[in-house]
Amino acid sequence: MENLQNHKKEISEKGFTLINDVFSKQEINQIINVIDSIDTSKETFRKSEDLFAIRQFLKEVPESHRFIFNDNIKQIINEVFGNDYFVVKSIYFDKPEKSNWYVSYHQDLTISVDKKLDLNGFGPWTTKQNQFAVQPPIDYLKNIFTIRIHLDDTDENNGALKVVPNSHSKEIYRPETIDWNVETEEICSVNKGGIMIMKPLILHGSNRTTNNQKRRVIHIEFSNMELPEEINWSERLN
């Protein structure tokens, strides 16, 4: 493993970092085999002609845990985040040829919780497939780290994430106000078996796939902050 303190510093300064060779080819193939073998008829599985998203991935596909949480990932979580961090959200998505889409620049501003209620500082709320999401106070968003595990080689030709470096430091940053005379864009190419770590407040998006190559990613968010006692993280996993 590379010097993780350098990656920790890069996340603080730029809002993201890339680490390749976190998973072996065998581990990635084991994860893919698990995904390929599951029942995709549940409402948390979003499909067009191909499966392209699984919400609450770690809940829905528990067989994946032993391959995802390998020694490298555990070391990264402990050294970069802290040993008190736990999972709060997980999604699997693909950009296959028949389910190809463009994602404009945005920040990840919501968390997944178990119920909807009036709570000071929390809102607005959304509900998707009986799952509740809410924009929390900014401190929660600043606290979260996201790991994106790449199951395929990913570059600008198959929908690699593009980001605005250091935009996470500006808190809520509306995409329509981006001044491209000041800001820069960076394409985050990641090898199969590598990861991207990012802060939810970094402005990010992705282009359509142009080379008909898959771009399968497992997106996992981590926090060490407790919610008010009236609600719970809906996907909490220690």
Side-chain angles (χ1 to χ4, degrees), residues 203-219:
L203 281 164
H204 60 284
S206 61
N207 295 329
R208 293 181 188 277
T209 296
T210 57
N211 63 1
N212 294 334
Q213 299 296 311
K214 282 183 172 289
R215 190 216 66 173
R216 292 167 291 185
V217 170
I218 298 170
H219 168 119

Side-chain angles (χ1 to χ4, degrees), residues 132-186:
F132 303 104
V134 63
Q135 184 170 327
I138 193 77
D139 286 349
Y140 285 93
L141 299 174
K142 289 162 76 171
N143 171 261
I144 290 171
F145 290 92
T146 300
I147 291 180
R148 292 169 57 90
I149 301 167
H150 286 68
L151 307 183
D152 301 288
D153 290 328
T154 306
D155 59 24
E156 69 275 10
N157 298 310
N158 65 329
L161 221 58
K162 54 185 183 179
V163 300
V164 179
N166 194 39
S167 53
H168 70 299
S169 67
K170 299 172 185 177
E171 300 194 350
I172 305 299
Y173 188 171
R174 299 298 174 196
E176 63 271 16
T177 68
I178 297 173
D179 182 354
W180 290 112
N181 294 314
V182 177
E183 304 289 12
T184 58
E185 176 179 279
E186 191 164 333

Side-chain angles (χ1 to χ4, degrees), residues 56 59 84-90 109-115 122 132-145 200 221-238:
Q56 300 196 13
K59 263 189 178 181
D84 56 347
Y85 270 72
F86 46 86
V87 173
V88 295
K89 187 175 183 177
S90 58
L109 297 178
T110 64
I111 59 172
S112 296
V113 294
D114 64 339
K115 63 177 76 74
F122 286 76
F132 303 104
V134 63
Q135 184 170 327
I138 193 77
D139 286 349
Y140 285 93
L141 299 174
K142 289 162 76 171
N143 171 261
I144 290 171
F145 290 92
E221 298 178 14
F222 298 81
S223 177
N224 67 348
M225 287 180 68
E226 300 295 344
L227 293 170
E229 60 182 17
E230 297 93 332
I231 58 172
N232 299 294
W233 298 100
S234 65
E235 299 177 57
R236 181 170 182 152
L237 177 70
N238 291 326

Side-chain angles (χ1 to χ4, degrees), residues 4-22:
L4 292 178
Q5 291 309 306
N6 290 340
H7 289 288
K8 187 173 183 176
K9 183 181 179 198
E10 189 169 45
I11 295 166
S12 175
E13 292 176 354
K14 295 177 67 176
F16 73 100
T17 195
L18 310 176
I19 312 177
N20 282 309
D21 301 318
V22 175

Side-chain angles (χ1 to χ4, degrees), residues 32-217:
I32 291 170
N33 288 340
V34 168
I35 293 168
D36 286 345
S37 68
I38 55 184
D39 172 11
T40 61
S41 62
K42 298 179 183 178
E43 62 178 11
T44 45
F45 292 56
R46 294 182 58 201
K47 298 178 74 171
S48 56
E49 291 188 50
D50 302 296
L51 173 67
F52 69 89
I54 306 171
R55 297 185 186 281
Q56 300 196 13
F57 176 77
L58 293 173
K59 263 189 178 181
E60 296 287 2
V61 193
E63 308 92 322
S64 67
H65 294 193
R66 63 195 180 105
F67 304 123
I68 289 172
F69 294 103
N70 67 7
D71 289 342
N72 286 340
I73 281 289
K74 289 176 182 174
Q75 183 184 352
I76 289 165
I77 293 167
N78 287 335
E79 292 189 26
V80 178
F81 309 169
N83 59 16
D84 56 347
Y85 270 72
F86 46 86
V87 173
V88 295
K89 187 175 183 177
S90 58
I91 309 170
Y92 162 85
F93 32 41
D94 184 15
K95 277 200 177 187
E97 181 183 358
K98 296 173 184 172
S99 305
N100 194 5
W101 73 100
Y102 163 84
V103 181
S104 58
Y105 269 111
H106 66 285
Q107 296 173 299
D108 292 340
L109 297 178
T110 64
I111 59 172
S112 296
V113 294
D114 64 339
K115 63 177 76 74
K116 179 180 179 180
L117 43 77
D118 285 331
L119 208 55
N120 189 35
F122 286 76
W125 290 79
T126 58
T127 307
K128 289 181 182 176
Q129 297 160 316
N130 296 319
Q131 297 175 72
F132 303 104
V134 63
Q135 184 170 327
I138 193 77
D139 286 349
Y140 285 93
L141 299 174
K142 289 162 76 171
N143 171 261
I144 290 171
F145 290 92
T146 300
I147 291 180
R148 292 169 57 90
I149 301 167
H150 286 68
L151 307 183
D152 301 288
D153 290 328
T154 306
D155 59 24
E156 69 275 10
N157 298 310
N158 65 329
L161 221 58
K162 54 185 183 179
V163 300
V164 179
N166 194 39
S167 53
H168 70 299
S169 67
K170 299 172 185 177
E171 300 194 350
I172 305 299
Y173 188 171
R174 299 298 174 196
E176 63 271 16
T177 68
I178 297 173
D179 182 354
W180 290 112
N181 294 314
V182 177
E183 304 289 12
T184 58
E185 176 179 279
E186 191 164 333
I187 304 292
C188 299
S189 297
V190 185
N191 296 339
K192 177 177 180 174
I195 67 170
M196 176 182 182
I197 304 174
M198 60 180 248
K199 300 298 285 180
L201 290 173
I202 192 169
L203 281 164
H204 60 284
S206 61
N207 295 329
R208 293 181 188 277
T209 296
T210 57
N211 63 1
N212 294 334
Q213 299 296 311
K214 282 183 172 289
R215 190 216 66 173
R216 292 167 291 185
V217 170

